[in-house]
Every structure is written in C-alpha cells, then in structure tokens.
Amino acid sequence: NGNGVTDKVEKARTREVMVEFGRLYEKQYAVALFNKVRFDIEGGGGPQPQLLHRKIPLENKAIFSGSLFQYLEENKKWRNRFLFVPDSYNINYYDSKAAHDRHLHPKGTINCAGYKVLTSMEQYLDLFSNSLPGIKAKVGSSPFLKCATQFPLILWHPYARHYYFCVVTEKEQQKWLAVLQDCVRHANDGLSEENKVQTPAFTDAVRLYRQAKGHYGTWDMMCGIPSQILSNLVMEEALPELRELISPRLKGKLHERQRNWMLISDAVYSLVQGQCQAQYEAVLQKCEAACSSLEASIRTDMDQIITSKEHVTNKIREVVLPKAEKLLKVSIQPYISSILDALMEPTSRGFSEVRNVFFRELVDMSKNTLNEGTKETHMDKISMLAFHPVKMQSCYEKMEPLSLEGLQQRFDVSSPSVFVQRAQILMREQMDHAVYTFEQILHQSLESQCTEELCKSIQRCQDRVIKKFDYDSSTVRKRFFREALLQIFIPYMLKQLSPSCASELPRFQELIFEDFSRFILVENIFEEVVLHSVMKDITMAVKEAAVQRRHNLYRDSIVLSNSDPSLHLLGENPSIDWAGEYGGGEGGAAQKRRRMKQVVSMIQVEGSPVLPNESCMEVPSVNDIPEEDGGEEEEEEKDGEGEENSDDKASADQNGSASPRASENPPDLSNGSVLKEEEAKSEEQGKEVPQKVESAPESASVVEEKGKGGDNLSMVEEQPHSDQEVSEETLPLPPEEILSRATETAPESLPEATSDFPLPPHDDSGFQSPTNEGGEAENDEEDVAPSTAAPQPSEEHPEVRKTSVAAAPEAETKTSDSE
C-alpha cells in the first residue's frame, strides 16, 4: 500500500537534490578545469617518489574465491554458494563453482561501497535495531534468522539490502573477513585521482551541497561511484520522511517489521541510484560538451584570469584573515599537536609493519630459493603481496586503534573510519610500489646466475628497495597527516566563519570581469583564504614531528630527487610473468599465462560432502533449525583449515581422489602461496615441498616455523646484530652517499619489536634522531630551521591543484570524505 507514497517521496527528493547538485557541479567544473590547465602550465613541486609505480597491478588476476553458506531472503533458507572476487573487488556469487567455471551469469553481484563487515549477530542487531525509531529489539530477543553455524559474516548497509553468510571454522571466518574488508576498503576509496577535472568538481559540488544544508564535517557515505554517492545524498534527506510514512504501516512481529523495512529501504535505494545515474550522466555530458571552448578561453586569458583572481583574493583576505586568525588562536592551535599525535602513532605502526612484512617475505623467498635451487625464486607469489588481504591484515590492524575521542563533537568528525581506511589504502599502495620496484631490479640482474649469487642479488635489491620505501613512506605519511588535519579543521572553521563572512562575499563578485566569472568564484576564494590561514600551523607541526625519531619520518631537508635515474628507466616496464619466464616445462608458460591467477588461496574444506561436491543442500533458517543443529553443521563440514593446508596434507589431497577440490587448489609451496591458480592443471607444482633450513641466506638469521595454514606468514626469530650502523647513518647524507649505502648495506637481521612500536630492521640514513653521539642533535635542529621557513613548492600555490584549495584534503589525494 505504501508503494505509491514511497515512489512519490523518492522521485521528488531525487529531483530536488539533483537539480541543486547539477547547478553546483557546472560551476565547480569550470573552476576545476582552470586549476588543471594552470597546473599543467606551471607544473607542481614536491618530493619525487623513489619507488616505481605499477600501472595495472591486478591485470589478469583475481582476489579470492571459495564456498560458504548464504541466507536466502526469498525462501528463508541457508544454501551453499560459490563466491568469486575479481580484480574489480565486486563480489559475484554463484550456485556452485561449476556454474562459475562454465562462465554462467552470477546469481548476484555485491558492490561493497558503504558496507560494514560484521562477525556476530550481536553487532548486527546493535546496528539494525536503530533502523526504525520505536521498533527496537529487546535485549536477548531472537533475530529474524538463526545462523547455520557459529561463524557468521554479515554485510550491513544503512540503505541497501544486507547479506548474510556463514562458514564452518573460525579460521575460514578470519580469512573471509580480511577479504570482505578489503572489498569494502577498495570500494570506499573514492573517485579516481586520474581524472583531474571530474573528480574535484564532483567532490566540491557534493561538499558545497552538504554545507548548504548545515553539514560541514566528514561524511562516511562519501564512497563508491558517483551514482552511489548521490544516492546516499538523497537517502540522507529522504530516509527520515520515509520512516514517518512507512513505520505506522508495518505490521507483524518485531523481526518481521525490521526485515520489511530493510527490503523497502533497499528497493527505494535501487530506484534512487537509477535516477541519479541518468541525471548525473546528463549533467556530465553537458559539461563535457562545453569543455573545449572553456579550455580555449582559459589558455587565451590565463594571465588576466590569474591577475584578477589574485586581486579579489587580496580583498577577501583583508576581511576574512583577522577573524580566521582569532579563531585559530582560540579554537585550533591548542588541538593541533594532540590530534597529530593521535594520527601518527597508529599510522607509524602500520607503515612499520608494511616494511616488516615485505622484509619477512623476501627472507622467506631467499630460503625457498636456496633450498630448491630454482630460478623461479617464488616471485610469482610475492608479486601480489600488496593485494593479499590475509597477509596485509597485520598492517591494516595497526590503524584500527585510531581514536579521535572528543573530536567528533568539537570538530564534527563523523568517525575515524575515513582516516583509517585512507591510511590502509596508502599502506597497500606503498607495499605494491616496493614489491614492483624489487621485481624490476631483481629481474634486471637475473641473467644466468647460480642460486648462491641469486640469494646475494635478492639481499642487495632488498636493501636498495627498503631505503627507497623509507623515504617514500615518510613523504606519503606527512602528506596524509597534513591533509587529515585540514579535513578536520577546515570544515569547523568554515562553519564558524560563514555566518559573519557570507553577507560580505557577494560584493566581491563585482570585482571580477564577466568573462572570467566562470573560473573565479568568491565562495571558493573564501575557502582558499581560510585554508591558507591554518596551513602554516599544520605544516610547522608536521615538520616538528619529523624531528621525533619514534615516528621514523625523514626531515624535509633530505631530498632524493633524481637520485637513481637508472631505476626510473624501468618504470615503463610491464609486470613480470615470473612463472612464465622461469617455470620450466614445454608449454608450461603458455598454459599458465592463459589462466587467471588468484591472489589468495581458495577456501577448501576437507572431508565435507557439502562444499567440495557443490551440493545444493539447503539448511533451514531459524523457523526450522533448533539451537543444537549448529554443532551438526560443524561436524558435517569439519574444519576449514584444508584451504590453506600444510604441505603434507596438500600432497595427500593431490594423491587421493576423495576431494575434487584438491586439483583446483594447488597446495602452498611455502608459507602461503600468494598466486594460487584456480584450475586443475597445476598439480605438479603442488608436489614441490620446500624443506626447512637451519640458516637463512647470507646475514639474515631466521628460523621458519611452518604453521598449519598456508597463508600464515612465516614466524621469524630475530637475532639483533651488534654492529648495526646507527651513529654513522643517523645524520642526513647527500644523495650520492645514500645511494652508495643503499647498495652496500643489507639489513643484518629482523628487529626485536618493542611493546610500543616495532623498530625498522635497520637504522636508515634519513631518519632524524633527537639524541645522537657527538652532539648530533644540535646539528639536526639547525638543519630543520631553514626547512621550516620555506614552504614546499606544492604548498605555495594550492589554487593550481586539481581542485580548489579548500577541497585539497578532499580531492587531491583522497584523504577526503570520498573515503
């Protein structure tokens, strides 16, 4: 009965939002185009990255696949499903693996933008009970479904339908959790930075729309593709109205009303997405049609536009700056250092863990190479390390404790998740840059080398890359801190200053020539002035933090630009097919290239008649299952550790025909094969079992402990080296000396992690130490002083970036609401 009412509300709200958004987008599109053209002409400064960047990281790769139970809304049953996660990170689910192998259409696809992954019904009910006011579950009341096992995985969304899955063991649950969280993280990462006009225009238009409604702070639902973000914008306004209309019409028991409300919300959300997509494409098409004429005008009048903008900026600064500085002194400056500390601690831990994981994997690779004597060097597994959610989980977890307690209310920060997910994405990017750089350097030195020489080459390349990683990760973190602080403070300042300044802004529009009015907007200039007022304090705070050794940050006075020109010649090279080039056998390379490789090994459950045989057996939901039946499910499907089984189990699977999965899931060759091939022709590799070694190659002293699970990282026993070069390498070195040391010094051992912060495997030349031998601390302080006086080139003209300066924290590197 409510269909007509919901349609009317949804269409009216969508039209209202899209008309206003379209108006803002057209204005911001012209400004973003001007900023891009100006940036192209003038160029940008800033540190040059040392690591190479892979262009298409996941080409011909898939992330993960496996079978589990899914709850079906239509018949209220649990049924076996095969899930496949391709390189798009959208989750496709099928009736069986056979259906996927026959290239049938999936039963459904899940885009994870805006979802949260939950692992218990208690978590789910806490979120779900708030969906309808006045309809809340009592403590201890049963939900509308009972899980088939005690290890659920639930995808929750504030507007879209929810997905319910179950697995048989805790180990499976943890593995699926890592994969699903990676899917959410990827989908929430925001719009592509590659598009220098559409992305900042869209981001600014959405931000200005929300500010006009009184919402200045971060926004958790700034995630997904444009149609999803716009739909979230519509639902944010339409949902309260829908609740009031629908809530009285819902009948039945509590869980039935909750379930029906979820289905109604999902239906409305789907309709809104369709309409937003169509209307956004129409707006975009209109702007793209005018792009060439706008760009011609910009290039013709660039100097005059810049002069006019600077004139107006000076006039606005005279009005705004005194008020902004007063606000800064009272409400911003006292909080900068404490917020920065809260951000830096978990972020430093996370990047340090990325470094350690990278180091451990290379040590393990050296051991396996030394044992087996193969030239393939197991690089095929390491090349996708950054996209292995299970192996990267220890890095991501370091960011989870981030707490901005008390800031949510003061600075309108919706939750720390915006910053947590952005830092995690940066960790993944830096890991991939390090792995790709290592691949390219190693590949260059692999011409006709014996195994012992190969291990030495691996160590030399490893140390060279780690030096570059330390420099790049420092640059990335400092940029992340600056933009996170801007994202916290700028909305607050705009909210405080807008009431007194907004009435004075229109008169400045008269100072702009009509021909230039499309490219110079007083509201954007007002935000730029506010941003400049706080940027100096933020930059100074980050630079001062670089002096503290515990954060492992390079000082800005250390610049490695063009320090390794020979390496950057490799930057255009494609990813290397290690298995194809070095995995012997006639026709083996061609066969391997044809298959889509999988980053994480498949879930394979041993001894189960349900999952391996792709049975369509249905497991009833709460209406038919008594409490005790969860135990039967576990007994039926045993434990899920078979999917990452040890080498002994793997070879047993290969020799036996009991499990048809044995051939489609090649067993792990070492401590977790990264690139697992899905199909059955890789049995030969599965029989290669690396032996344990007593000593690691060269100077690294490690002992590998094989775990049951193949995806577990090898445990490393640290032997700290007494001759680590601390005092010599602490002070900044000239680029030439840094380079020479990068190729001479290999990390002697893995670090002994302290309880507070895991130190890097070795002290690096660029790290600043507040206390060193021979009075080095004094010299360091003198070094920092000149660097703080001169701003970075990229900070001098923020208005020439790809977005307006006020949106710099949102669009430039996506440390923005677009998370």
Side-chain angles (χ1 to χ4, degrees):
N1 294 334
N3 283 348
V5 176
T6 55
D7 286 352
K8 186 176 179 181
V9 171
E10 160 258 320
K11 287 179 180 177
R13 282 292 181 187
T14 304
R15 184 165 52 250
E16 179 186 322
V17 170
M18 288 306 299
V19 166
E20 178 60 17
F21 168 82
R23 184 185 69 80
L24 292 168
Y25 184 84
E26 288 182 37
K27 294 173 70 175
Q28 294 302 320
Y29 186 92
V31 174
L33 182 62
F34 167 74
N35 289 336
K36 181 206 178 273
V37 174
R38 183 177 179 182
F39 186 84
D40 290 343
I41 293 172
E42 297 181 351
Q48 178 184 348
Q50 298 297 298
L51 296 170
L52 302 177
H53 296 188
R54 197 192 319 243
K55 288 186 176 177
I56 311 176
L58 289 171
E59 190 174 17
N60 299 322
K61 306 292 192 302
I63 303 298
F64 191 52
S65 62
S67 294
L68 36 59
F69 288 115
Q70 181 182 6
Y71 179 75
L72 306 182
E73 289 281 354
E74 53 269 24
N75 59 14
K76 301 182 181 179
K77 304 279 183 173
W78 289 92
R79 184 170 176 174
N80 186 34
R81 284 281 187 257
F82 179 78
L83 267 61
F84 177 74
V85 184
D87 58 356
S88 66
Y89 286 89
N90 288 336
I91 302 171
N92 299 322
Y93 52 93
Y94 300 81
D95 279 333
S96 64
K97 185 178 185 299
H100 167 262
D101 292 344
R102 292 200 302 269
H103 304 291
L104 301 180
H105 285 295
K107 300 290 288 183
T109 299
I110 307 171
N111 181 307
C112 292
Y115 276 91
K116 289 182 181 176
V117 189
L118 311 174
T119 54
S120 74
M121 288 303 297
E122 289 76 20
Q123 291 176 315
Y124 179 66
L125 287 176
D126 284 344
L127 287 171
F128 196 51
S129 62
N130 295 323
S131 58
L132 269 178
I135 304 182
K136 293 189 178 181
K138 296 179 181 177
V139 178
S141 64
S142 62
F144 60 85
L145 65 90
K146 172 175 168 51
C147 294
T149 74
Q150 59 178 311
F151 302 108
L153 290 152
I154 302 170
L155 287 171
W156 177 90
H157 193 282
Y159 312 129
R161 68 171 288 192
H162 303 161
Y163 294 89
Y164 314 95
F165 302 102
C166 274
V167 291
V168 183
T169 67
E170 184 178 2
K171 189 173 183 181
E172 280 183 272
Q173 186 188 43
Q174 291 305 311
K175 191 170 188 179
W176 276 111
L177 175 64
V179 173
L180 295 177
Q181 284 179 334
D182 215 30
C183 292
V184 172
R185 191 179 296 118
H186 182 86
N188 286 357
D189 190 31
L191 307 177
S192 171
E193 287 183 339
E194 298 301 317
N195 198 315
K196 306 296 185 184
V197 179
Q198 289 181 21
T199 294
F202 182 91
T203 305
D204 287 352
V206 170
R207 180 177 52 78
L208 290 168
Y209 179 90
R210 296 190 78 246
Q211 284 179 190
K213 302 289 183 180
H215 304 300
Y216 281 82
T218 57
W219 187 36
D220 285 348
M221 297 307 293
M222 186 78 176
C223 50
I225 60 176
S227 61
Q228 289 174 305
I229 296 172
L230 293 170
S231 301
N232 297 337
L233 207 58
V234 173
M235 294 298 286
E236 186 178 39
E237 296 184 18
L239 208 62
E241 190 175 349
L242 283 174
R243 281 174 178 158
E244 291 180 10
L245 289 169
I246 298 299
S247 183
R249 299 167 186 253
L250 296 175
K251 308 297 180 186
K253 294 181 179 178
L254 170 66
H255 63 262
E256 283 297 323
R257 283 181 284 166
Q258 288 179 323
R259 178 175 170 274
N260 289 335
W261 167 247
M262 184 194 71
L263 296 175
I264 291 169
S265 177
D266 175 62
V268 172
Y269 189 59
S270 299
L271 290 171
V272 168
Q273 275 200 61
Q275 293 176 33
C276 287
Q277 176 70 23
Q279 294 180 47
Y280 172 67
E281 287 176 358
V283 172
L284 182 59
Q285 191 173 359
K286 181 180 177 183
C287 291
E288 294 289 304
C291 180
S292 56
S293 62
L294 285 173
E295 186 169 346
S297 300
I298 292 169
R299 292 187 181 277
T300 302
D301 301 322
M302 174 63 79
D303 291 340
Q304 294 93 321
I305 296 172
I306 293 174
T307 303
S308 178
K309 181 176 180 181
E310 288 175 353
H311 175 66
V312 176
T313 300
N314 289 331
K315 295 293 185 184
I316 294 178
R317 187 180 289 117
E318 291 174 4
V319 174
V320 175
L321 208 53
K323 299 176 182 177
E325 288 177 345
K326 184 179 178 181
L327 180 65
L328 265 174
K329 188 174 182 181
V330 174
S331 302
I332 302 295
Q333 289 173 350
Y335 297 94
I336 292 179
S337 60
S338 59
I339 296 174
L340 187 56
D341 285 343
L343 286 167
M344 292 180 87
E345 189 66 24
T347 308
S348 295
R349 289 174 181 270
F351 276 86
S352 179
E353 180 66 10
V354 170
R355 188 187 202 274
N356 293 338
V357 169
F358 176 67
F359 182 79
R360 288 198 299 265
E361 288 290 317
L362 295 187
V363 169
D364 189 64
M365 184 187 77
S366 295
K367 289 191 308 182
N368 288 321
T369 302
L370 193 65
N371 281 335
E372 298 177 16
T374 60
K375 205 169 183 180
E376 185 180 348
T377 71
H378 298 280
M379 272 305 304
D380 219 17
K381 304 161 195 169
I382 287 191
S383 62
M384 287 292 104
L385 177 60
F387 301 94
H388 196 299
V390 180
K391 290 187 176 182
M392 289 294 292
Q393 188 71 357
S394 64
C395 308
Y396 299 148
E397 286 174 350
K398 296 289 189 289
M399 275 304 296
E400 296 297 335
L402 174 63
S403 173
L404 300 175
E405 204 62 44
L407 297 179
Q408 273 88 331
Q409 293 75 27
R410 173 174 287 276
F411 295 112
D412 199 11
V413 177
S414 55
S415 83
S417 64
V418 169
F419 307 109
V420 169
Q421 290 188 356
R422 181 59 190 154
Q424 290 169 339
I425 288 289
L426 292 173
M427 289 176 198
R428 187 175 75 185
E429 288 177 356
Q430 289 303 301
M431 175 68 91
D432 189 53
H433 299 337
V435 167
Y436 176 59
T437 305
F438 177 81
E439 281 186 284
Q440 295 295 333
I441 296 175
L442 183 64
H443 186 254
Q444 196 179 37
S445 64
L446 273 189
E447 304 299 327
S448 67
Q449 285 187 352
C450 67
T451 301
E452 290 183 6
E453 290 176 342
L454 179 59
C455 289
K456 292 179 181 177
S457 292
I458 289 173
Q459 288 189 337
R460 284 195 298 270
C461 296
Q462 161 190 296
D463 185 60
R464 187 175 168 190
V465 170
I466 282 179
K467 294 274 187 181
K468 295 177 181 298
F469 171 85
D470 289 334
Y471 180 83
D472 276 13
S473 73
S474 171
T475 303
V476 165
R477 277 180 286 155
K478 285 190 287 189
R479 190 177 65 215
F480 167 69
F481 298 143
R482 285 195 297 267
E483 292 174 348
L485 290 171
L486 284 172
Q487 195 177 347
I488 291 169
F489 294 137
I490 294 297
Y492 173 79
M493 295 184 71
L494 292 176
K495 188 174 184 179
Q496 300 300 316
L497 295 172
S498 289
S500 60
C501 297
S503 59
E504 300 187 51
L505 293 179
R507 66 186 174 90
F508 296 110
Q509 194 70 43
E510 301 170 2
L511 303 176
I512 304 169
F513 289 120
E514 188 176 348
D515 291 346
F516 305 157
S517 60
R518 290 171 297 178
F519 314 117
I520 306 173
L521 301 177
V522 291
E523 55 265 35
N524 287 45
I525 294 176
F526 164 63
E527 295 184 352
E528 290 174 14
V529 170
V530 173
L531 183 144
H532 277 291
S533 69
V534 71
M535 178 64 87
K536 181 182 176 183
D537 292 298
I538 288 175
T539 304
M540 184 68 72
V542 174
K543 285 181 177 179
E544 288 174 356
V547 179
Q548 302 176 35
R549 183 179 181 80
R550 64 195 178 97
H551 295 306
N552 285 354
L553 291 171
Y554 281 99
R555 293 167 302 166
D556 292 333
S557 57
I558 300 175
V559 179
L560 301 182
S561 57
N562 299 320
S563 63
D564 201 349
S566 60
L567 174 62
H568 286 275
L569 295 176
L570 302 174
E572 298 300 314
N573 292 355
S575 296
I576 298 163
D577 183 3
W578 293 94
E581 288 195 35
Y582 298 103
E586 286 292 326
Q591 284 183 2
K592 288 169 184 172
R593 275 196 288 268
R594 281 199 297 270
R595 302 188 194 122
M596 179 176 283
K597 295 172 182 175
Q598 188 166 302
V599 175
V600 189
S601 58
M602 288 173 65
I603 294 286
Q604 174 180 331
V605 180
E606 293 181 337
S608 166
V610 179
L611 294 179
N613 294 327
E614 304 300 348
S615 167
C616 292
M617 175 182 123
E618 293 181 348
V619 182
S621 69
V622 63
N623 297 331
D624 305 298
I625 265 193
E627 287 286 338
E628 295 77 26
D629 278 8
E632 289 182 20
E633 292 300 332
E634 286 184 51
E635 200 171 324
E636 261 189 323
E637 302 199 347
K638 292 274 182 180
D639 80 283
E641 296 180 3
E643 44 84 17
E644 317 174 278
N645 41 22
S646 65
D647 296 316
D648 294 338
K649 286 183 180 178
S651 56
D653 266 351
Q654 290 291 40
N655 297 330
S657 57
S659 172
R661 274 292 163 85
S663 61
E664 72 200 23
N665 180 30
D668 297 345
L669 298 179
S670 63
N671 60 324
S673 171
V674 174
L675 288 175
K676 288 298 183 183
E677 301 174 0
E678 293 181 3
E679 302 186 11
K681 295 182 181 179
S682 56
E683 294 179 331
E684 296 176 6
Q685 285 186 337
K687 295 175 184 175
E688 299 173 11
V689 182
Q691 302 171 357
K692 291 185 181 179
V693 290
E694 297 299 321
S695 61
E698 289 298 307
S699 58
S701 175
V702 289
V703 178
E704 179 185 36
E705 297 178 5
K706 268 296 188 186
K708 289 183 180 178
D711 274 314
N712 292 335
L713 295 168
S714 60
M715 302 299 292
V716 183
E717 186 176 291
E718 298 96 26
Q719 299 289 338
H721 196 276
S722 59
D723 298 324
Q724 279 189 326
E725 300 173 6
V726 179
S727 61
E728 292 180 11
E729 291 195 5
T730 306
L731 283 178
L733 302 175
E736 297 79 10
E737 193 169 347
I738 290 177
L739 254 185
S740 63
R741 295 202 179 198
T743 55
E744 291 169 8
T745 310
E748 295 285 314
S749 66
L750 289 178
E752 281 202 64
T754 64
S755 59
D756 294 325
F757 179 69
L759 293 173
H762 65 287
D763 284 331
D764 296 294
S765 56
F767 287 149
Q768 166 68 15
S769 173
T771 55
N772 289 314
E773 297 177 10
E776 290 175 0
E778 296 176 10
N779 296 334
D780 288 344
E781 290 174 2
E782 292 172 6
D783 251 345
V784 174
S787 70
T788 57
Q792 293 279 341
S794 58
E795 291 163 6
E796 290 181 356
H797 300 288
E799 65 271 21
V800 303
R801 299 191 192 183
K802 69 178 186 180
T803 178
S804 68
V805 184
E810 297 173 55
E812 182 182 0
T813 59
K814 300 185 298 186
T815 309
S816 68
D817 297 319
S818 45
E819 259 88 53

